[in-house]
Amino acid sequence: MTDIDVVDSNVSVYFIFQDVQKHSVHTLVFRSLKRTHDMFVADHAKPVSLDETSHKVKMAAKLRADYSAVLHMPILKEGKDRPLGSNMPGNQNYAQPGDDPEYLITGTHAYPSGPGVALTADTQIHRNPSEGGVHAMALALPPSQARLDASRTAAGVGDIHRNAGGAERSSAPHSHAMSLLEGGGTKNSSLVARKAPTMPKPQWHAPWKLFRVISGHLGWVRSIAVEPGNQWFVTGAGDRTIKIWDLASGKLKLSLTGHISTVRGVAVSTRSPYLFSCGEDKQVKCWDLEYNKVIRHYHGHLSAVYDLDLHPTIDVLVTCSRDATARVWDIRSKANVHTLSGHTNTVATVRCQAAEPQIITGSHDSTIRLWDLIAGKTRATLTNHKKSVRALALHPRQYTLASGSADNIKQWTFPDGNFIQNLSGHNAIINAMAVNSDGVLVSGADNGTIHLWDWRTGYNFQRIHAAVQPGSLDSESGIFACMFDHSESRLITAEADKTIKVYKEDDTATEESHPINWKPEILKRKRF
C-alpha cells in the first residue's frame, strides 16, 4: 500500500465520522418521546370504512334470516305515474286493474263495492290497498293498546327521578318503524331497540349506629355466638378465655377457662344446654352450661381449629382447621363421622344448613366447597374467588349464600352454587359476614371497616369505621367476627382493640332524611 492510499483511507474515515451528529441527552429524550407519541397517537378504535360489497352481502343475509317469511309479499311499484309524494295521508292509493296480479283477488260470488254501484267487469275485482296506503292508514289511526304494549321500554334516568317510588316503566314515543310493523301485521323483535339491563332500585334500610362498647377481654376478640333465647351471648378471644355477657345490659355474667391458646370459634346449641368451642390449641370442647364444665373433647385435628358450626336439625358438629380438612363429629359419641378432605390450604370457615348442601366450607386456597353430608364427599367446588375465602353467610330465608374475600363479595344460589353477582367496593381482607331477614348484609374487614349492603341489589348503603378504644393503637382496628342477635335489631362485632361493639338501627331515620344515593347504572355482573 502506498502513502497516497493511506491518506485517502484516512480522509474517508474522517468524513464518515463527520456525518454522525452529536446530540445532547435532552434532544435524545425528546426524540424518544416523539416516537412514543407517534406510536400511540393513532386511534385504533376508529371504525373501519364501510365496504359496499360486504354491506350488500350482509344485508342480503340479514333479509333472508330475519324477513324470509315476508319476502314473497308484493311491494309498491313506484313509477312516473305514481310518485313517492303521493303516499300521503288522505290519498287513496289502491292498486288498479292491470297491476301486479298478486294485488287482484276475484271472488266466486261477485258483488259491487257499494250500494248503487253497477256490477261490471271492473267493479267485481276486489282491490287490495297498496303498501303506501297501508302505511298512510296506519299512521293516521290512533295508537292501539297492542302498539302501546309493544313500544314500552325502560324509563330514562330523568323519568325515574321524577317518579321516584312509582312505576319505573314509561311509554317511549311511537316510532315510524312500529307503525309499519303494526300496519303490516308482522312484529319482529329485531327491529325493536333493546336497552341494557339496569340495576333495580335498592330497598331502603335505616342506617346503623354504635350503641354500646363492651370491654373485658385481654386479647383480640375472635368469635361470637348468641344463645337461642336471646338473653346472653358468648365471645372467645386471644386471652384464651370464653366470656358470657348479658345482651341487654352488656355486663359480664361468666368467664370460662380451659383453652391453652386463642379461642377461634364458639357456638351455642339450640337442641341442648351445650356450648362448643375450638381454638388454636387443636382442641374442640363441649361445655355443659348447667355445671359450666367441659364434658367432652373431640380429638382428631392436626393443627389449629379455626371455626365450627352446629347442624340445625341433627346432633352433628362440624369443625374446620389449618390442617386443610373439615371434620364431622357425632356430638354424643364424640366419633369422627367424616373427614372432609379436598382443600389444599387452611379451611377458614364452615357453615351448616338443613337443606342440601348441608355443609359449606371456605378456604385459603380461594375455593368454596359444597359437601354431601351423607357421602362425606364434595358436591361442588366454586373457584371464582382469587384470594382466600375467610367468611360465609347464609341468607335466613332465601336459598342463597354470600362469600367474602379480599377481591370482592360474591353471591351464590344453592344447591349447585350458581353465581348471582359481585358486591365490589369493600377493598380489604373480609374476616366476617352476617345477613338478616330484612336483606341487610354486613361485611367486616381487618382494617376496621364495616360495610352494609342491600342483599337483593348489592347496593352499599352504609360504611362504618368506629374508633378504637382509648389506649389502643389505630392499627388495632380490625373486625374478626360479626353476628345479628335473634331479634335482628342488634349487630354485635368482635374487634382487634379487645372490645365488643354493639350496633343498632337508627330509629329516628327516615327515607327522606337518609335518601338512597342511587343511580340506575348499567348492570355488570362479571363471573370472575
Side-chain angles (χ1 to χ4, degrees), residues 352-397:
C352 296
Q353 63 178 3
E356 291 291 342
Q358 297 182 50
I359 300 174
I360 306 100
T361 56
S363 170
H364 287 191
D365 63 9
S366 75
T367 66
I368 302 163
R369 284 180 181 258
L370 314 180
W371 300 88
D372 184 339
L373 177 58
I374 298 173
K377 295 182 179 179
T378 302
R379 179 190 179 103
T381 304
L382 313 179
T383 60
N384 299 38
H385 279 292
K386 303 293 189 298
K387 300 292 180 66
S388 302
V389 180
R390 299 167 185 260
L392 297 171
L394 305 178
H395 196 285
R397 292 183 179 174

Side-chain angles (χ1 to χ4, degrees), residues 31 84 115 200 202 249 339 356 403 416 459 473 494 516:
R31 281 191 176 182
L84 284 168
S249 64
T339 299
E356 291 291 342
S403 59
D416 300 319
Y459 172 72
L473 300 173
I516 298 175

Side-chain angles (χ1 to χ4, degrees), residues 35-255:
R35 283 195 296 270
T36 306
H37 177 267
D38 293 341
M39 185 185 302
F40 290 102
V41 75
D43 187 4
H44 297 290
K46 288 182 67 175
V48 182
S49 57
L50 185 66
D51 179 46
E52 291 293 337
T53 307
S54 301
H55 182 66
K56 288 179 181 178
V57 172
K58 175 186 173 184
M59 294 310 294
K62 187 172 180 63
L63 280 171
R64 287 194 301 272
D66 292 349
Y67 306 104
S68 57
V70 296
L71 283 179
H72 65 280
M73 294 179 66
I75 60 172
L76 179 64
K77 301 290 192 301
E78 299 291 350
K80 294 180 182 179
D81 56 341
R82 192 174 299 163
L84 284 168
S86 62
N87 297 330
M88 297 296 292
N91 292 345
Q92 296 289 335
N93 291 320
Y94 291 100
Q96 302 299 324
D99 278 355
D100 193 329
E102 288 186 349
Y103 270 79
L104 308 178
I105 303 173
T106 56
T108 54
H109 302 286
Y111 57 87
S113 58
V117 178
L119 184 60
T120 63
D122 182 37
T123 57
Q124 72 178 357
I125 298 175
H126 302 170
R127 298 185 181 87
N128 281 356
S130 66
E131 189 176 352
V134 171
H135 294 177
M137 188 181 301
L139 289 171
L141 289 173
S144 66
Q145 185 61 38
R147 189 190 305 174
L148 289 173
D149 293 341
S151 61
R152 291 176 73 86
T153 183
V157 177
D159 297 331
I160 292 173
H161 286 304
R162 283 194 296 273
N163 304 301
E168 295 182 5
R169 308 288 289 177
S170 65
S171 177
H174 309 299
S175 63
H176 180 67
M178 188 56 65
S179 300
L180 301 187
L181 286 173
E182 192 174 26
T186 305
K187 292 182 181 179
N188 194 314
S189 60
S190 63
L191 293 182
V192 181
R194 295 181 180 176
K195 290 193 175 182
T198 56
M199 179 190 292
K201 187 174 182 179
Q203 177 187 349
W204 183 82
H205 300 283
W208 292 69
K209 61 182 181 180
L210 183 62
F211 169 63
R212 177 178 287 131
V213 179
I214 302 172
S215 300
H217 276 294
L218 302 178
W220 290 354
V221 188
R222 300 302 301 245
S223 53
I224 304 171
V226 181
E227 65 99 10
N230 214 42
Q231 300 296 314
W232 46 267
F233 67 96
V234 187
T235 56
D239 58 6
R240 302 170 294 176
T241 65
I242 299 167
K243 292 183 183 291
I244 298 177
W245 312 83
D246 184 71
L247 185 59
S249 64
K251 292 182 180 179
L252 180 64
K253 294 168 69 77
L254 183 69
S255 290

Side-chain angles (χ1 to χ4, degrees), residues 449-504:
T449 58
I450 300 172
H451 284 205
L452 291 96
W453 313 78
D454 178 54
W455 179 274
R456 183 175 63 92
T457 61
Y459 172 72
N460 180 204
F461 68 89
Q462 189 181 3
R463 300 182 180 187
I464 303 171
H465 193 172
V468 297
Q469 74 167 339
S472 298
L473 300 173
D474 289 337
S475 59
E476 289 186 310
S477 175
I479 312 293
F480 289 123
C482 64
M483 188 176 188
F484 287 100
D485 72 343
H486 292 297
S487 70
E488 298 185 337
S489 61
R490 298 287 185 271
L491 171 66
I492 309 167
T493 62
E495 310 211 1
D497 62 354
K498 306 170 189 172
T499 65
I500 301 139
K501 293 187 173 70
V502 183
Y503 295 84
K504 69 174 184 178

Side-chain angles (χ1 to χ4, degrees), residues 27-37:
T27 305
L28 293 174
V29 168
F30 271 90
R31 281 191 176 182
S32 177
L33 284 174
K34 184 177 183 302
R35 283 195 296 270
T36 306
H37 177 267

